[in-house]
Amino acid sequence: MEKHTQLVSTNLRFAIPPLPPTLANDFRAFLVAVWLHLGLPHPTPVQLDIAHYLQHGPSRRVIAAFRGVGKSWITSAYVVWRLRNNPALKFLVVSASKDRADNFTTFTQHLIADMPLLQCLKPHDNQRCSKVAFDVGPAQADHAPSVTSKGITSQLAGSRADEIVSDDVEVMNNSLTQGQRDKLGEAVKEYEAILKPGGIITYLGTYQTEMSLYTQLPARGYDVRIWPAKYPTIKQIEAYGERLAPSILKALEDNSGLTGMSTDPLRFSEEDLMARELSYGKAGFALQFMLDPQLSDADRYPLKLSDLTVMDLAPDEAPEKIIWCSAAEKALPDLPCVGLRGDRYHAPMKVWDTWLPYTGAVMAIDPSGRGQDETSYAVVKMLNGYLFLTAAGGIQGGYGPAVMEKLASIAKQQKVHEIVVESNFGDGMFTELFKPHLQKANFPVAITEVRHSIQKERRICDTLEPVMAQHRLIVDKSLIRQDYESTQSYATEHAHKYQLFYQIARITRERGALSHDDRLDALAIAVAHWIDLMAVDADKMTEQRKEDLLLKELENWTSSIQGSPFGFDMTCIAGVGVIQSGKTSSILGTNRQNSSFRLGR
């Protein structure tokens, strides 16, 4: 790798004075000078540690640090420091969006324009000078600008660079589903074709999902360095392995009492981190602040989307029997799957031709206040021991009339037989406010209130896990796409947290596992309503229906021959029934091999 301290090349258009040796040889000293120029406090120990890694790290590296540590600002200063030492270098900055990359470039330009030590790098009148691409003054004419910014989905081919800065190339919008993650993983492979021999690739990022791109880069030869927001536990240290920043590990070795405390208290106090953990939820905080995407054990996330059966459902009837499968040929890649790595939706292996009316339909409602939570609902119908999720969603607006009217409309459209309302919040007030709207919709239906005292996360998992593990929960295919699209108007970084199927895949039994679990809670309440009836076996119900149909046919036949000149006395011992004088009574369970008929006066 090129020495960062090398002198300016002699083939530059304009000679510039070298930096003082301390600033030229140590990027940390240069960073201090930049921070002073910007009027910022002295760089924190974590920021200086990141700066040291930028200068001395390998040519393929990933800086994974908690949100708000200043990764991009530090790296912008690194870019101008490198150009100040060698203006012939070419940098390419790539981000998830073009605007994000342009912001990096713009900040770099401001440093050059405003800081006396860097003004010798200002572009000349005949050089490129925009937020998209700019040259530094001493650089010779070249196809490639000194600094270029691009979005990851833009045309990268044809670019050339000595260093590539991949700044937050992974965001929730391009990594939530497996298809998006695969596409992003292929896009960043283009870096190797762009990079000049002996070049450097630096990723700056924060994990967005448990299957983050950054977790796969070590297999491609990248060194990952992690700076978590809190000093990790022994178990977390084992999970980090060699990726944990040595400075963090050394601090813990010197003082084990630091565990759980802020690694950068000058930027984030203990109270601040606690508030963020409540806001993000344990899983979200573990990803974006502790940089811990590891699935510690298979039971951490007990609900798997692959245990669902997905198909087109009718509003009034369902198949008599459905066989689940997880075969690759039955996967549904066209649906946006927000599950963990390898999780997929699947169509059923086989669906019986006979469709029957649902035996019941219940709508569960989890009311919210007027905060960021939604008033969520789920409609679950039942047939032969299978549960069918035909509608689900969330509505913002608390107890407003528009919310009530929409819920009443959904209940009527779905023809539910009962509505179950979580009464823990508001102490039953929601039910009383809801009743007039049901009357207005001309849909009088029974409303039942339920209260829970068990920890929510455990209750949800204990309710849904056995049902899903037995593949008894069938989901309407259109609902999955509707759930994914229903949050697109929400703030980008939080939208996915409101989605039902994201909540299903991320729930754990830990308290506060999710920052939002309203839709999932409504589903659990609806499923719990049917638990006592779930023991019904679909095969037994199918046989029972056939028995009933045969008995009915025999009744019709005996009725048709009443009044004939012959008397009628028939006994059928075949597990079907006893028929005497046109009357039928069931004697199920009798040996099917014996049957006798007696006809006579």
Side-chain angles (χ1 to χ4, degrees):
M1 193 180 94
E2 174 196 13
K3 295 291 184 182
H4 294 306
T5 56
Q6 76 174 49
L7 298 178
V8 177
S9 175
T10 57
N11 64 351
L12 298 175
R13 295 173 59 197
F14 301 95
I16 59 174
L19 285 171
T22 302
L23 298 182
N25 297 332
D26 192 340
F27 172 52
R28 291 173 297 181
F30 183 84
L31 184 66
V32 171
V34 171
W35 258 223
L36 290 175
H37 168 74
L38 295 172
L40 299 174
H42 193 282
T44 67
V46 170
Q47 291 175 333
L48 291 174
D49 200 28
I50 292 173
H52 185 266
Y53 183 70
L54 272 170
Q55 179 177 355
H56 299 288
S59 61
R60 300 292 187 277
R61 66 264 187 113
V62 179
I63 294 175
F66 57 89
R67 296 189 65 174
V69 72
K71 300 182 293 293
S72 298
W73 281 42
I74 296 170
T75 310
S76 286
Y78 166 78
V79 168
V80 295
W81 175 73
R82 293 280 281 140
L83 288 169
R84 184 63 173 79
N85 278 325
N86 185 356
L89 294 174
K90 308 298 179 185
F91 286 84
L92 173 64
V93 180
V94 184
S95 292
S97 68
K98 184 68 170 62
D99 288 343
R100 181 73 180 85
D102 290 347
N103 290 339
F104 187 106
T105 306
T106 301
F107 179 67
T108 305
Q109 283 181 302
H110 282 311
L111 289 179
I112 291 173
D114 299 339
M115 194 169 175
L117 279 173
L118 302 174
Q119 289 183 352
C120 58
L121 298 179
K122 291 177 66 174
H124 297 289
D125 293 341
N126 61 344
Q127 291 180 302
R128 287 163 288 210
C129 183
S130 73
K131 66 179 182 179
V132 175
F134 71 88
D135 294 311
V136 294
Q140 288 187 322
D142 196 305
H143 285 287
S146 297
V147 181
T148 308
S149 62
K150 292 192 175 186
I152 186 61
T153 57
S154 62
Q155 184 67 33
L156 296 180
S159 302
R160 296 289 285 168
D162 294 288
E163 293 200 29
I164 297 174
V165 177
S166 189
D167 182 22
D168 278 333
V169 73
E170 177 186 271
V171 294
M172 192 54 67
N173 277 355
N174 65 11
S175 62
L176 184 57
T177 69
Q178 187 61 49
Q180 290 172 331
R181 291 189 290 270
D182 292 342
K183 186 176 180 180
L184 178 61
E186 290 300 312
V188 298
K189 289 181 179 179
E190 186 66 23
Y191 292 169
E192 297 295 340
I194 294 170
L195 198 66
K196 293 181 181 181
I200 300 171
I201 301 176
T202 302
Y203 281 87
L204 310 175
T206 301
Y207 298 143
Q208 298 295 324
T209 70
E210 291 80 358
M211 298 75 58
S212 172
L213 166 70
Y214 308 127
T215 66
Q216 301 172 44
L217 291 176
R220 302 184 187 182
Y222 284 80
D223 181 72
V224 178
R225 184 64 56 87
I226 292 176
W227 286 268
K230 290 182 177 182
Y231 286 101
T233 63
I234 294 177
K235 188 175 182 180
Q236 288 173 323
I237 292 173
E238 293 174 352
Y240 290 134
E242 295 181 353
R243 296 172 297 150
L244 183 63
S247 60
I248 302 292
L249 185 58
K250 186 177 186 308
L252 281 171
E253 290 173 349
D254 294 341
N255 181 4
S256 60
L258 291 174
T259 300
M261 298 179 65
S262 174
T263 58
D264 201 358
L266 296 176
R267 291 187 63 80
F268 294 104
S269 65
E270 306 297 330
E271 293 76 16
D272 193 320
L273 290 178
M274 287 179 63
R276 292 172 188 269
E277 185 169 2
L278 288 173
S279 175
Y280 278 85
K282 286 187 178 295
F285 186 84
L287 277 174
Q288 300 200 3
F289 286 86
M290 293 304 293
L291 290 307
D292 179 15
Q294 300 298 313
L295 307 185
S296 57
D297 53 67
D299 296 327
R300 182 179 178 188
Y301 298 99
L303 307 183
K304 308 291 189 295
L305 298 182
S306 57
D307 283 335
L308 300 171
T309 298
V310 179
M311 59 180 290
D312 292 319
L313 296 179
D316 301 315
E317 58 183 14
E320 184 176 30
K321 188 177 179 182
I322 300 166
I323 297 181
W324 168 89
C325 81
S326 59
E329 62 270 18
K330 290 294 184 178
L332 300 171
D334 58 314
L335 292 179
C337 184
V338 296
L340 303 177
R341 183 181 295 121
D343 221 354
R344 289 284 193 275
Y345 295 116
H346 294 87
M349 177 65 73
K350 182 179 179 181
V351 176
W352 260 234
D353 292 335
T354 304
W355 286 55
L356 303 172
Y358 295 111
T359 53
V362 65
M363 179 181 191
I365 299 176
D366 180 25
S368 75
R370 296 188 178 274
Q372 294 183 345
D373 288 342
E374 298 177 315
T375 291
S376 301
Y377 64 91
V379 176
V380 176
K381 302 179 181 181
M382 187 175 184
L383 176 67
N384 283 6
Y386 293 107
L387 299 183
F388 299 84
L389 179 61
T390 59
I395 312 169
Q396 291 192 328
Y399 289 8
V403 175
M404 301 290 188
E405 291 173 6
K406 184 170 183 178
L407 290 172
S409 174
I410 293 170
K412 184 175 182 178
Q413 180 184 3
Q414 291 288 326
K415 301 177 181 178
V416 301
H417 302 140
E418 185 175 354
I419 296 175
V420 181
V421 177
E422 165 72 78
S423 65
N424 288 41
F425 187 87
D427 198 26
M429 179 174 62
F430 181 91
T431 300
E432 296 305 315
L433 294 174
F434 189 37
K435 288 178 179 178
H437 292 276
L438 289 171
Q439 295 173 356
K440 183 179 178 180
N442 194 26
F443 188 66
V445 62
I447 301 180
T448 303
E449 293 185 351
V450 294
R451 294 184 65 86
H452 299 113
S453 56
I454 303 173
Q455 178 192 326
K456 182 190 292 188
E457 292 80 8
R458 289 188 176 277
R459 170 175 56 81
I460 291 174
C461 292
D462 291 346
T463 299
L464 295 179
E465 185 177 10
V467 175
M468 292 178 60
Q470 295 177 43
H471 315 301
R472 294 295 189 96
L473 185 58
I474 321 298
V475 178
D476 190 354
K477 187 176 180 179
S478 64
L479 178 59
I480 293 173
R481 186 170 287 105
Q482 175 189 327
D483 179 64
Y484 182 78
E485 295 173 351
S486 68
T487 63
Q488 298 308 302
S489 62
Y490 292 9
T492 302
E493 63 180 25
H494 297 296
H496 59 283
K497 299 177 183 178
Y498 289 90
Q499 296 170 14
L500 170 61
F501 297 96
Y502 179 90
Q503 294 171 7
I504 289 176
R506 301 306 193 285
I507 186 71
T508 72
R509 286 182 165 83
E510 300 174 3
R511 187 180 297 276
L514 298 174
S515 56
H516 298 285
D517 54 18
D518 310 286
R519 298 188 186 189
L520 181 57
D521 197 10
L523 173 61
I525 293 170
V527 169
H529 177 82
W530 295 113
I531 288 295
D532 291 341
L533 300 177
M534 288 293 291
V536 175
D537 184 86
D539 290 330
K540 291 181 180 179
M541 290 297 293
T542 300
E543 290 300 320
Q544 178 66 58
R545 187 181 65 83
K546 291 179 180 178
E547 300 268 5
D548 293 342
L549 287 174
L550 181 56
L551 289 175
K552 186 175 182 179
E553 189 69 25
L554 288 171
E555 284 184 349
N556 293 338
W557 179 70
T558 55
S559 297
S560 67
I561 66 171
Q562 282 183 351
S564 71
F566 299 97
F568 182 76
D569 182 9
M570 172 180 177
T571 302
C572 177
I573 308 175
V576 176
V578 176
I579 305 174
Q580 293 181 335
S581 303
K583 296 182 180 180
T584 305
S585 60
S586 175
I587 55 169
L588 298 177
T590 313
N591 184 356
R592 290 179 173 274
Q593 302 303 319
N594 298 324
S595 59
S596 63
F597 297 84
R598 299 195 307 275
L599 295 175
R601 297 188 68 85

